[in-house]
Amino acid sequence: MAARDRYSRKLECPQCGHTGFAEVSEDDDPRRKDPGFEIDEMPKGFSTEFSSRDPSKYMLRCQCGHKFRFARKSVYAPGGEPRR
């Protein structure tokens, strides 16, 4: 069984500017087809619109109602950058 990489990622709604840090994890084996992406802790004011094991397809909803993808240009928390 593969170990999990854990990191924090800053979420920011492009419509209203609401921000928060999500705690996420994924499998650290780059040979796996499915990265096993999961949001372990969602910040207040954000919710899951469409869940996916691929971060580029994971959709979030802000408290203002705006929907956006998890995987897009965003800022990582200090020390929260994923290892590559």
Side-chain angles (χ1 to χ4, degrees):
M1 186 168 171
R4 308 268 306 159
D5 277 338
R6 299 185 190 288
Y7 56 96
S8 298
R9 187 159 192 188
K10 183 177 181 182
L11 303 178
E12 184 171 2
C13 177
Q15 183 168 319
C16 72
H18 177 70
T19 62
F21 285 94
E23 300 296 324
V24 300
S25 62
E26 55 188 40
D27 294 331
D28 70 352
D29 186 354
R31 296 170 294 174
R32 293 189 63 171
K33 183 177 178 182
D34 177 10
F37 174 81
E38 292 179 15
I39 294 184
D40 302 321
E41 189 176 326
M42 186 76 74
K44 186 175 180 180
F46 293 98
S47 60
T48 299
E49 178 69 21
F50 177 77
S51 178
S52 176
R53 307 251 314 150
D54 181 352
S56 64
K57 297 177 183 173
Y58 202 101
M59 295 293 292
L60 301 168
R61 179 184 289 267
C62 178
Q63 62 190 6
C64 72
H66 185 72
K67 296 180 255 184
F68 60 96
R69 291 187 188 277
F70 177 85
R72 60 185 185 84
K73 284 189 174 182
S74 63
V75 180
Y76 291 97
E81 297 86 4
R83 293 176 286 171
R84 295 285 173 210

